[in-house]
Amino acid sequence: MVVAIVCIAVKMASSSSYNSPCAACKLLRRKCMPGCIFAPYFPPEEPQKFVNVHKIFGASNVTKLLNELLPHQREDAVNSLAYEAEARVRDPVYGCVGAITFLQRQVQRLQKELDAANADLIRYACNDIPTGLPQVTGASTVQPPLTPRNRLAEFNRRVGNEGGGFYQLPGALPYSFPWNDASSGDMNDGGGEGGM
Amino acid sequence: MRSHEPRSTSSCAACKLLKRRCSPTCIFAPYFRSDEPKKFAKVHKVFGASNVSKILIEVPEEQREDTVNSLVYEAEARLRDPVYGCIGAIALLQRKMIELQHDLALARARLARYGCELLDRCCWCGT
Protein backbone atom coordinates (compact mmCIF):
# COMPACT_ATOMS: atom_id res chain seq x y z
CA MET A 1 0.00 0.00 0.00
CA VAL A 2 2.75 2.42 1.00
CA VAL A 3 4.71 1.39 -2.09
CA ALA A 4 1.68 2.08 -4.25
CA ILE A 5 1.24 5.54 -2.75
CA VAL A 6 4.93 6.34 -3.29
CA CYS A 7 4.72 5.19 -6.90
CA ILE A 8 1.75 7.40 -7.54
CA ALA A 9 3.52 10.38 -5.93
CA VAL A 10 6.63 9.79 -8.03
CA LYS A 11 4.54 9.53 -11.19
CA MET A 12 2.76 12.80 -10.36
CA ALA A 13 6.02 14.55 -9.56
CA SER A 14 7.56 13.46 -12.81
CA SER A 15 4.70 14.98 -14.80
CA SER A 16 6.17 18.41 -15.44
CA SER A 17 2.93 20.10 -16.35
CA TYR A 18 1.21 18.98 -13.17
CA ASN A 19 3.65 20.05 -10.52
CA SER A 20 6.00 22.51 -12.17
CA PRO A 21 5.49 25.99 -10.79
CA CYS A 22 4.92 28.81 -13.25
CA ALA A 23 7.73 31.27 -13.91
CA ALA A 24 6.14 33.80 -11.56
CA CYS A 25 5.88 31.49 -8.59
CA LYS A 26 9.40 30.23 -9.24
CA LEU A 27 10.77 33.75 -9.12
CA LEU A 28 8.63 34.71 -6.14
CA ARG A 29 9.58 31.44 -4.42
CA ARG A 30 6.11 30.45 -3.53
CA LYS A 31 3.89 27.47 -4.11
CA CYS A 32 2.13 27.60 -7.44
CA MET A 33 -1.46 26.87 -6.51
CA PRO A 34 -4.10 25.62 -8.90
CA GLY A 35 -5.83 28.73 -10.17
CA CYS A 36 -2.62 30.82 -9.93
CA ILE A 37 -3.42 33.92 -11.96
CA PHE A 38 0.04 33.99 -13.51
CA ALA A 39 0.33 30.32 -14.46
CA PRO A 40 -1.51 30.42 -17.83
CA TYR A 41 0.61 33.32 -19.07
CA PHE A 42 4.05 32.82 -17.56
CA PRO A 43 5.10 29.26 -18.33
CA PRO A 44 8.26 27.97 -16.61
CA GLU A 45 10.05 27.80 -19.98
CA GLU A 46 9.93 31.58 -20.34
CA PRO A 47 11.44 32.88 -17.10
CA GLN A 48 12.70 36.16 -18.56
CA LYS A 49 9.20 37.27 -19.47
CA PHE A 50 8.10 37.42 -15.86
CA VAL A 51 11.46 38.74 -14.68
CA ASN A 52 10.99 41.80 -16.90
CA VAL A 53 7.34 42.32 -16.01
CA HIS A 54 8.06 41.99 -12.31
CA LYS A 55 11.02 44.37 -12.53
CA ILE A 56 9.03 47.12 -14.23
CA PHE A 57 5.49 46.72 -13.01
CA GLY A 58 5.73 44.52 -9.93
CA ALA A 59 3.89 41.26 -9.35
CA SER A 60 1.17 42.79 -7.19
CA ASN A 61 0.37 45.52 -9.72
CA VAL A 62 0.13 42.90 -12.45
CA THR A 63 -2.17 40.79 -10.27
CA LYS A 64 -4.46 43.76 -9.65
CA LEU A 65 -4.51 44.63 -13.34
CA LEU A 66 -5.30 41.06 -14.43
CA ASN A 67 -8.00 40.72 -11.80
CA GLU A 68 -9.72 43.77 -13.23
CA LEU A 69 -9.90 42.21 -16.69
CA LEU A 70 -12.09 39.55 -18.16
CA PRO A 71 -10.35 36.17 -18.56
CA HIS A 72 -10.32 36.38 -22.36
CA GLN A 73 -8.50 39.73 -22.20
CA ARG A 74 -5.72 38.61 -19.89
CA GLU A 75 -3.46 36.99 -22.45
CA ASP A 76 -3.32 40.13 -24.57
CA ALA A 77 -2.79 42.24 -21.48
CA VAL A 78 0.12 40.06 -20.34
CA ASN A 79 1.69 40.14 -23.79
CA SER A 80 1.46 43.92 -23.98
CA LEU A 81 2.87 44.26 -20.47
CA ALA A 82 5.72 41.93 -21.39
CA TYR A 83 6.44 43.98 -24.52
CA GLU A 84 6.44 47.25 -22.60
CA ALA A 85 8.56 45.80 -19.83
CA GLU A 86 11.13 44.48 -22.29
CA ALA A 87 11.23 47.85 -24.05
CA ARG A 88 11.75 49.62 -20.73
CA VAL A 89 14.51 47.23 -19.69
CA ARG A 90 16.28 47.88 -23.01
CA ASP A 91 15.70 51.63 -22.89
CA PRO A 92 15.13 52.77 -19.29
CA VAL A 93 14.67 56.41 -20.34
CA TYR A 94 12.05 56.14 -23.07
CA GLY A 95 10.81 52.55 -23.05
CA CYS A 96 8.25 51.88 -25.76
CA VAL A 97 7.41 55.58 -25.98
CA GLY A 98 10.57 55.85 -28.06
CA ALA A 99 9.00 53.53 -30.62
CA ILE A 100 5.84 55.64 -30.68
CA THR A 101 7.83 58.79 -31.41
CA PHE A 102 9.79 57.03 -34.13
CA LEU A 103 6.61 55.72 -35.77
CA GLN A 104 4.93 59.12 -35.57
CA ARG A 105 7.86 60.68 -37.40
CA GLN A 106 7.73 57.95 -40.05
CA VAL A 107 4.01 58.48 -40.53
CA GLN A 108 4.55 62.26 -40.82
CA ARG A 109 7.29 61.76 -43.38
CA LEU A 110 5.25 59.32 -45.46
CA GLN A 111 2.22 61.58 -45.36
CA LYS A 112 4.30 64.50 -46.65
CA GLU A 113 5.75 62.38 -49.43
CA LEU A 114 2.28 61.15 -50.36
CA ASP A 115 0.95 64.70 -50.41
CA ALA A 116 3.80 65.73 -52.70
CA ALA A 117 3.23 62.76 -55.03
CA ASN A 118 -0.48 63.49 -55.21
CA ALA A 119 0.21 67.15 -55.91
CA ASP A 120 2.44 66.06 -58.80
CA LEU A 121 -0.30 63.76 -60.08
CA ILE A 122 -2.76 66.61 -60.09
CA ARG A 123 -0.26 68.81 -61.87
CA TYR A 124 0.21 66.13 -64.53
CA ALA A 125 -3.53 65.74 -64.89
CA CYS A 126 -4.02 69.50 -65.23
CA ASN A 127 -1.19 69.88 -67.74
CA ASP A 128 -2.26 67.08 -70.07
CA ILE A 129 -1.37 67.67 -73.74
CA PRO A 130 -4.47 68.91 -75.66
CA THR A 131 -6.52 66.24 -77.48
CA GLY A 132 -5.84 67.79 -80.97
CA LEU A 133 -3.15 65.13 -81.42
CA PRO A 134 -4.08 62.12 -83.61
CA GLN A 135 -5.46 59.25 -81.56
CA VAL A 136 -3.26 56.23 -81.16
CA THR A 137 -5.00 53.16 -82.48
CA GLY A 138 -5.13 49.91 -80.59
CA ALA A 139 -5.04 49.47 -76.85
CA SER A 140 -3.98 52.60 -75.11
CA THR A 141 -2.37 52.84 -71.73
CA VAL A 142 -3.20 56.53 -71.47
CA GLN A 143 -5.77 57.21 -68.82
CA PRO A 144 -8.45 59.76 -69.72
CA PRO A 145 -7.72 63.11 -68.08
CA LEU A 146 -9.67 63.76 -64.92
CA THR A 147 -12.34 66.44 -64.91
CA PRO A 148 -11.71 69.14 -62.30
CA ARG A 149 -14.42 67.65 -60.04
CA ASN A 150 -12.98 64.14 -60.37
CA ARG A 151 -9.46 65.41 -59.81
CA LEU A 152 -10.53 66.99 -56.55
CA ALA A 153 -12.39 63.86 -55.49
CA GLU A 154 -9.40 61.69 -56.36
CA PHE A 155 -7.10 63.99 -54.45
CA ASN A 156 -9.29 63.98 -51.38
CA ARG A 157 -9.63 60.25 -51.51
CA ARG A 158 -5.89 59.84 -51.38
CA VAL A 159 -4.95 62.58 -49.02
CA GLY A 160 -6.04 63.32 -45.50
CA ASN A 161 -9.62 62.13 -45.68
CA GLU A 162 -9.21 60.55 -42.27
CA GLY A 163 -8.62 63.76 -40.42
CA GLY A 164 -6.19 65.47 -42.68
CA GLY A 165 -2.91 64.56 -41.09
CA PHE A 166 -0.78 62.04 -39.29
CA TYR A 167 -2.26 59.81 -36.64
CA GLN A 168 -2.96 61.76 -33.49
CA LEU A 169 -2.32 59.77 -30.33
CA PRO A 170 -4.79 60.38 -27.56
CA GLY A 171 -2.80 62.80 -25.46
CA ALA A 172 -0.02 64.52 -27.36
CA LEU A 173 3.53 63.99 -26.18
CA PRO A 174 4.37 67.10 -24.17
CA TYR A 175 8.10 66.93 -24.67
CA SER A 176 10.64 66.40 -27.38
CA PHE A 177 12.84 63.39 -27.88
CA PRO A 178 16.34 63.30 -29.34
CA TRP A 179 14.77 62.45 -32.70
CA ASN A 180 13.04 65.81 -32.67
CA ASP A 181 16.32 67.65 -32.43
CA ALA A 182 16.25 70.51 -34.92
CA SER A 183 19.89 69.95 -35.82
CA SER A 184 19.11 66.58 -37.34
CA GLY A 185 16.85 68.16 -39.93
CA ASP A 186 16.37 64.95 -41.85
CA MET A 187 13.14 63.21 -40.95
CA ASN A 188 14.56 59.94 -42.17
CA ASP A 189 16.74 59.33 -39.15
CA GLY A 190 14.16 57.74 -36.98
CA GLY A 191 16.21 57.02 -33.87
CA GLY A 192 17.09 53.57 -32.74
CA GLU A 193 13.72 52.06 -32.10
CA GLY A 194 12.92 50.80 -35.53
CA GLY A 195 13.14 47.22 -34.37
CA MET A 196 9.94 47.55 -32.47
CA MET B 1 16.94 71.75 -15.10
CA ARG B 2 14.19 71.22 -12.61
CA SER B 3 16.49 69.70 -10.02
CA HIS B 4 18.38 73.02 -9.76
CA GLU B 5 15.31 75.04 -8.99
CA PRO B 6 14.89 76.00 -5.33
CA ARG B 7 12.54 73.58 -3.66
CA SER B 8 9.75 74.55 -1.39
CA THR B 9 9.57 72.97 2.02
CA SER B 10 6.27 71.22 1.28
CA SER B 11 6.26 67.52 0.43
CA CYS B 12 6.39 66.46 -3.18
CA ALA B 13 3.35 64.73 -4.67
CA ALA B 14 4.97 61.33 -4.20
CA CYS B 15 5.70 61.72 -0.51
CA LYS B 16 2.25 63.21 0.06
CA LEU B 17 0.64 60.16 -1.52
CA LEU B 18 2.97 57.76 0.27
CA LYS B 19 2.42 59.66 3.51
CA ARG B 20 6.04 60.01 4.34
CA ARG B 21 8.46 62.80 5.08
CA CYS B 22 9.87 64.38 1.95
CA SER B 23 13.61 64.51 2.51
CA PRO B 24 15.87 67.06 0.78
CA THR B 25 17.31 64.24 -1.34
CA CYS B 26 13.94 62.75 -2.31
CA ILE B 27 14.38 61.28 -5.78
CA PHE B 28 10.81 62.05 -6.77
CA ALA B 29 10.66 65.66 -5.65
CA PRO B 30 12.16 67.35 -8.75
CA TYR B 31 9.71 65.59 -11.04
CA PHE B 32 6.50 65.17 -9.05
CA ARG B 33 5.70 68.56 -7.69
CA SER B 34 3.00 68.94 -5.07
CA ASP B 35 0.71 70.82 -7.47
CA GLU B 36 0.53 67.79 -9.83
CA PRO B 37 -0.77 65.02 -7.58
CA LYS B 38 -2.43 63.03 -10.37
CA LYS B 39 0.84 62.62 -12.25
CA PHE B 40 2.40 60.56 -9.48
CA ALA B 41 -0.84 58.78 -8.65
CA LYS B 42 -0.99 57.37 -12.19
CA VAL B 43 2.63 56.27 -12.23
CA HIS B 44 2.32 54.72 -8.77
CA LYS B 45 -0.79 52.81 -9.75
CA VAL B 46 0.79 51.25 -12.83
CA PHE B 47 4.45 50.85 -11.90
CA GLY B 48 4.63 51.26 -8.15
CA ALA B 49 6.72 53.82 -6.30
CA SER B 50 9.62 51.51 -5.57
CA ASN B 51 9.94 50.37 -9.20
CA VAL B 52 9.90 53.99 -10.38
CA SER B 53 12.53 54.84 -7.82
CA LYS B 54 14.76 51.98 -9.01
CA ILE B 55 14.34 53.05 -12.65
CA LEU B 56 15.23 56.66 -11.82
CA ILE B 57 18.26 55.66 -9.80
CA GLU B 58 19.57 53.66 -12.77
CA VAL B 59 19.46 56.55 -15.25
CA PRO B 60 21.76 59.59 -15.23
CA GLU B 61 20.26 62.63 -13.54
CA GLU B 62 20.06 64.65 -16.74
CA GLN B 63 17.82 61.97 -18.27
CA ARG B 64 15.46 61.59 -15.34
CA GLU B 65 12.99 64.19 -16.48
CA ASP B 66 12.53 62.46 -19.83
CA THR B 67 12.27 59.13 -18.01
CA VAL B 68 9.52 60.43 -15.75
CA ASN B 69 7.65 61.94 -18.67
CA SER B 70 7.75 58.69 -20.63
CA LEU B 71 6.63 56.73 -17.55
CA VAL B 72 3.72 59.11 -17.07
CA TYR B 73 2.78 58.72 -20.72
CA GLU B 74 2.88 54.92 -20.48
CA ALA B 75 0.94 54.94 -17.23
CA GLU B 76 -1.77 57.14 -18.75
CA ALA B 77 -2.00 54.90 -21.79
CA ARG B 78 -2.30 51.80 -19.59
CA LEU B 79 -4.99 53.36 -17.40
CA ARG B 80 -6.95 54.37 -20.50
CA ASP B 81 -6.53 50.95 -22.09
CA PRO B 82 -5.75 48.30 -19.46
CA VAL B 83 -5.45 45.53 -22.07
CA TYR B 84 -3.08 47.08 -24.59
CA GLY B 85 -1.67 50.26 -23.06
CA CYS B 86 0.89 51.91 -25.33
CA ILE B 87 1.03 48.87 -27.55
CA GLY B 88 -2.37 49.76 -28.98
CA ALA B 89 -0.96 53.06 -30.18
CA ILE B 90 2.09 51.33 -31.65
CA ALA B 91 -0.08 48.85 -33.55
CA LEU B 92 -2.24 51.65 -34.96
CA LEU B 93 0.78 53.64 -36.05
CA GLN B 94 2.32 50.60 -37.71
CA ARG B 95 -0.90 49.96 -39.62
CA LYS B 96 -1.05 53.61 -40.67
CA MET B 97 2.54 53.46 -41.83
CA ILE B 98 1.89 50.37 -43.96
CA GLU B 99 -1.19 52.00 -45.46
CA LEU B 100 0.76 55.14 -46.32
CA GLN B 101 3.61 53.13 -47.84
CA HIS B 102 1.11 51.32 -50.03
CA ASP B 103 -0.59 54.54 -51.13
CA LEU B 104 2.77 56.17 -51.82
CA ALA B 105 3.88 53.23 -53.96
CA LEU B 106 0.66 53.48 -55.97
CA ALA B 107 1.01 57.23 -56.42
CA ARG B 108 4.63 56.87 -57.54
CA ALA B 109 3.69 54.12 -59.98
CA ARG B 110 1.08 56.40 -61.49
CA LEU B 111 3.58 59.23 -61.68
CA ALA B 112 6.06 56.95 -63.44
CA ARG B 113 3.34 55.99 -65.93
CA TYR B 114 2.53 59.64 -66.57
CA GLY B 115 6.22 60.31 -67.06
CA CYS B 116 6.53 57.52 -69.64
CA GLU B 117 3.42 58.64 -71.50
CA LEU B 118 4.66 62.21 -71.63
CA LEU B 119 7.99 61.01 -72.97
CA ASP B 120 6.23 58.90 -75.60
CA ARG B 121 4.14 61.86 -76.72
CA CYS B 122 7.17 64.12 -76.92
CA CYS B 123 8.99 61.52 -79.03
CA TRP B 124 5.95 61.26 -81.32
CA CYS B 125 5.87 65.04 -81.75
CA GLY B 126 9.54 64.99 -82.65
CA THR B 127 9.17 62.55 -85.57
Side-chain angles (χ1 to χ4, degrees):
Chain A
M1 175 75 166
V2 171
V3 171
I5 292 171
V6 167
C7 285
I8 291 168
V10 166
K11 190 173 177 186
M12 284 169 65
S14 67
S15 165
S16 59
S17 62
Y18 186 84
N19 268 342
S20 175
C22 69
C25 293
K26 261 191 185 171
L27 185 75
L28 299 171
R29 292 185 192 164
R30 65 186 195 193
K31 192 166 157 50
C32 192
M33 304 294 288
C36 168
I37 196 162
F38 295 124
Y41 316 110
F42 295 102
E45 311 85 47
E46 294 175 58
Q48 197 59 40
K49 187 175 170 187
F50 186 76
V51 165
N52 291 341
V53 166
H54 180 48
K55 180 176 174 166
I56 301 302
F57 296 100
S60 75
N61 286 339
V62 175
T63 302
K64 285 179 207 164
L65 182 99
L66 292 180
N67 278 329
E68 284 171 10
L69 297 174
L70 298 169
H72 71 274
Q73 295 175 311
R74 288 175 185 165
E75 188 172 4
D76 281 352
V78 164
N79 288 338
S80 69
L81 287 167
Y83 186 93
E84 278 189 40
E86 191 183 340
R88 185 61 65 174
V89 165
R90 269 195 269 131
D91 181 355
V93 179
Y94 299 111
C96 70
V97 180
I100 292 174
T101 303
F102 172 76
L103 287 168
Q104 279 186 319
R105 288 176 61 86
Q106 293 300 306
V107 163
Q108 269 180 297
R109 178 182 64 81
L110 287 166
Q111 187 66 65
K112 275 192 179 173
E113 289 182 22
L114 182 61
D115 291 348
N118 282 325
D120 285 343
L121 277 172
I122 292 196
R123 256 198 304 280
Y124 268 116
C126 291
N127 294 337
D128 267 349
I129 295 171
T131 54
L133 287 171
Q135 296 298 315
V136 176
T137 56
S140 170
T141 57
V142 175
Q143 292 189 4
L146 293 168
T147 63
R149 179 191 290 272
N150 290 346
R151 275 200 291 272
L152 189 59
E154 176 72 10
F155 182 80
N156 283 337
R157 190 179 73 77
R158 288 291 188 194
V159 181
N161 57 359
E162 290 173 15
F166 64 91
Y167 171 75
Q168 292 282 355
L169 282 174
L173 292 169
Y175 45 94
S176 64
F177 286 105
W179 300 279
N180 293 343
D181 184 18
S183 62
S184 69
D186 181 8
M187 295 269 277
N188 285 326
D189 62 322
E193 299 302 320
M196 296 190 186
Chain B
M1 283 175 58
R2 276 195 186 189
S3 57
H4 292 169
E5 288 175 5
R7 286 186 32 214
S8 66
T9 52
S10 68
S11 293
C12 70
C15 293
K16 267 190 183 168
L17 186 76
L18 300 171
K19 292 179 186 165
R20 65 185 197 190
R21 193 176 78 83
C22 191
S23 75
T25 54
C26 173
I27 196 162
F28 298 121
Y31 317 107
F32 296 102
R33 299 171 78 86
S34 55
D35 54 351
E36 294 178 298
K38 285 186 182 172
K39 189 174 162 186
F40 183 77
K42 290 172 190 171
V43 166
H44 179 48
K45 183 169 173 143
V46 174
F47 296 100
S50 85
N51 290 337
V52 174
S53 170
K54 287 177 201 165
I55 291 171
L56 288 179
I57 285 168
E58 280 177 6
V59 303
E61 194 175 344
E62 62 271 17
Q63 293 184 303
R64 286 179 185 166
E65 188 168 2
D66 279 352
T67 305
V68 164
N69 287 337
S70 71
L71 286 168
V72 169
Y73 187 89
E74 267 193 60
E76 283 175 346
R78 182 59 64 175
L79 290 170
R80 247 194 321 268
D81 183 353
V83 180
Y84 297 109
C86 270
I87 307 309
I90 290 176
L92 277 166
L93 281 168
Q94 283 178 329
R95 271 203 292 277
K96 182 72 180 175
M97 201 171 79
I98 289 169
E99 181 189 306
L100 285 169
Q101 284 169 337
H102 172 75
D103 286 351
L104 185 59
L106 282 178
R108 284 180 173 163
R110 286 187 70 183
L111 274 172
R113 237 184 0 258
Y114 264 117
C116 290
E117 285 161 8
L118 199 59
L119 201 59
D120 285 346
R121 288 180 188 181
C122 289
C123 289
W124 190 90
C125 289
T127 57

